[in-house]
Amino acid sequence: MGWKGILGFDYGVVQGPLGPDVSGPELVAAVANAGAIGILRAPDWEAPDHLRELIRETRALTDKQFGVGIVLSFPHKENLKAVLDEKVAVLQVSWGDFPKELVSEAHHAGVKVIHQVGCIEDAKKAKCAGVDAIVVQGHEAGGHVLGQDGLISLLPRVVDLVSDCDIPVIAAGGIVDARGYVAALVLGARGVCLGTRFLATLESFAHPHYKQKLIESDKTEFTNIFGRSRWPGAPQRVLQTPFFNEWRHLPDHENEENQPVIGLSTIHGVPKEIRRFAGTVPNPTTTGNVDCMAMYAGEGVGLIKEILPAGEVVKSLVEEAQYIIQQKLSHG
């Protein structure tokens, strides 16, 4: 079974790039030190110098390899150049096409490319582009969700699609523990990518109140009320907070542009006003009405009962998955 490593890492466990700056150097280094794939989140605007600084801060905290995630819907040419210049181990891309020429450019710099997709059509494009791995994101995932298909139906289709070439498939969406990990392996994945579980760790750069909500809540909803202006056509899965339940039927013509400012935050070193219905999740610098801000979470949130060190999350995933495979699956 494939609980062993992928892409040169010890384990097939990937920490998803959590935005806008939740997966910072501390979280990524902790995941890397545990033998898994930690991924920094690049800013959603061109900030190559800041991104280089994030990469260097991470390198100061770990001697292991790690990655950077870029959302292709936002300006990213300069950020991409910074990633390749710094020769990080892995570039994770999502929300857009990443053609063969760019994959070749990354390979020339010694950088492996993981493309996250949410449908079979995008998986075909990623395969044609020659990426090194494909993350299949199911509809169960938290945050901005790419596709409409559940993981259990989409994942085997992508596994079959790449069966004629050695592209590892990584499962994402609703996975928080070893049972989900093993289920993904049985469906043909070679690794798993977790977002919400790593959000609820000591090292994640999420606001303490947001982390507490993850432990207390077990209901999520797929919606589009947050960030309609900044990132149109990017629906999201969020916690069903009292604020969300009050505003869940926000009329289609409304967006964050004409809404009151409910807080302030420093994101990737830049001071930002947070308006009501902005898609910005609160980080520890955030002040104001945190309860009324977006709180992304995947469907597996009900299985998260405590805030753990990120290294412990990796360790328990791997050890418990090995136990399930050896004890439960092999002995019937």
Side-chain angles (χ1 to χ4, degrees):
M1 294 292 283
W3 45 257
K4 298 184 177 67
I6 53 171
L7 302 178
F9 290 79
D10 292 346
Y11 304 123
V13 174
V14 182
Q15 160 255 307
L18 304 165
D21 59 355
V22 170
S23 58
E26 290 78 12
L27 176 58
V28 172
V31 170
N33 284 332
I37 305 177
I39 303 183
L40 288 167
R41 172 69 182 269
D44 293 338
W45 57 88
E46 295 286 27
D49 293 341
H50 177 75
L51 184 51
R52 283 191 180 90
E53 186 58 36
L54 286 177
I55 292 167
R56 286 163 192 173
E57 280 178 37
T58 310
R59 284 184 171 144
L61 298 171
T62 182
D63 56 2
K64 301 282 186 76
Q65 300 276 25
F66 57 90
V68 174
I70 288 179
V71 177
L72 301 172
S73 302
F74 297 109
H76 59 268
K77 278 190 177 154
E78 294 300 313
N79 292 344
L80 177 59
K81 185 177 184 307
V83 171
L84 301 188
D85 287 348
E86 290 290 330
K87 299 192 185 308
V88 298
V90 169
L91 165 69
Q92 191 261 25
V93 291
S94 60
W95 287 91
D97 295 340
F98 201 73
K100 202 178 190 74
E101 308 82 70
L102 288 177
V103 175
S104 299
E105 196 181 326
H107 287 167
H108 187 69
V111 177
K112 290 173 178 164
V113 179
I114 302 177
H115 200 135
Q116 180 169 300
V117 303
C119 62
I120 196 76
E121 293 75 21
D122 286 349
K124 286 174 183 170
K125 289 181 188 171
K127 179 188 177 183
C128 290
V131 300
D132 299 280
I134 295 173
V135 172
V136 177
Q137 184 196 51
H139 193 65
E140 305 90 338
H144 295 90
V145 184
L146 289 154
Q148 296 292 326
D149 295 326
L151 185 62
I152 206 163
S153 57
L154 180 60
L155 177 58
R157 293 182 68 200
V158 179
V159 169
D160 290 350
L161 172 73
V162 299
S163 61
D164 60 342
C165 56
D166 191 32
I167 298 177
V169 177
I170 300 162
I175 300 170
V176 297
D177 63 12
R179 293 169 295 181
Y181 188 179
V182 173
L185 296 175
V186 171
L187 290 169
R190 301 245 302 269
V192 285
C193 179
L194 291 78
T196 312
R197 176 62 272 192
F198 282 113
L199 185 63
T201 56
L202 292 177
E203 298 89 349
S204 101
F205 199 60
H207 193 284
H209 185 65
Y210 181 13
K211 293 185 189 184
Q212 189 59 34
K213 284 284 185 198
L214 294 169
I215 296 172
E216 294 170 1
S217 309
D218 59 4
K219 289 191 172 68
T220 65
E221 188 141 335
F222 187 67
T223 183
N224 76 339
I225 69 167
F226 294 104
R228 286 175 178 172
S229 171
R230 188 183 82 89
W231 195 0
Q236 59 279 151
R237 184 174 297 283
V238 299
L239 289 177
Q240 281 190 31
T241 59
F243 172 82
F244 173 77
N245 286 329
E246 182 185 346
W247 293 96
R248 66 196 310 153
H249 301 301
L250 187 71
D252 287 344
H253 66 273
E254 292 281 352
N255 64 39
E256 68 270 31
E257 293 282 323
N258 57 357
Q259 296 294 322
V261 173
I262 58 168
L264 302 170
S265 196
T266 300
I267 298 164
H268 286 303
V270 180
K272 301 265 186 186
E273 289 182 339
I274 298 181
R275 294 184 180 275
R276 189 167 61 188
F277 309 124
T280 307
V281 297
N283 71 25
T285 74
T286 305
T287 56
N289 195 344
V290 172
D291 274 312
C292 295
M293 295 178 189
M295 294 190 188
Y296 303 138
E299 282 186 356
V301 72
L303 292 166
I304 299 172
K305 304 299 183 197
E306 57 185 331
I307 306 296
L308 295 170
E312 209 170 296
V313 170
V314 174
K315 188 167 179 276
S316 64
L317 271 168
V318 173
E319 289 179 356
E320 289 170 28
Q322 289 172 337
Y323 174 79
I324 293 169
I325 290 163
Q326 287 158 1
Q327 301 299 317
K328 297 191 174 178
L329 296 185
S330 54
H331 298 306

